[in-house]
Amino acid sequence: MNRDIIEGNWKQLVGKAKQQWGKLTDDDLDVIQGRREELAGKIQERYGVSRDEAEKRVKEWEDSIRH
């Protein structure tokens, strides 16, 4: 999914992000505002995974919501 599409549709995608990553708070999601790098950083922080793993999870999520 195109980065601009995520940022542009973030308000609609927040619910899906909450379902995928329950450890992210509403404040986290407000800070992220659809920015992929911020999302990966918060996943890394909340779930204790590497940056590469967090980015992989974001990519998988992007692919799943595209369909």
Side-chain angles (χ1 to χ4, degrees):
M1 178 170 272
N2 183 309
R3 178 174 298 168
D4 294 333
I5 294 171
I6 291 175
E7 288 182 20
N9 294 310
W10 183 243
K11 289 185 192 281
Q12 292 85 4
L13 296 174
V14 166
K16 291 182 188 236
K18 283 183 182 180
Q19 287 177 337
Q20 183 73 25
W21 298 292
K23 291 184 181 180
L24 295 180
T25 66
D26 288 338
D27 287 341
D28 290 337
L29 296 167
D30 287 344
V31 168
I32 292 165
Q33 288 295 307
R35 293 186 304 265
R36 192 177 197 284
E37 295 80 18
E38 289 286 332
L39 178 57
K42 289 294 182 183
I43 292 168
Q44 181 182 10
E45 180 183 323
R46 297 283 184 229
Y47 288 87
V49 298
S50 70
R51 184 63 179 206
D52 287 341
E53 177 63 23
E55 289 177 2
K56 178 183 169 200
R57 291 181 184 186
V58 170
K59 172 79 170 90
E60 290 170 352
W61 178 70
E62 289 173 338
D63 291 344
S64 75
I65 61 175
R66 188 176 352 170
H67 299 293

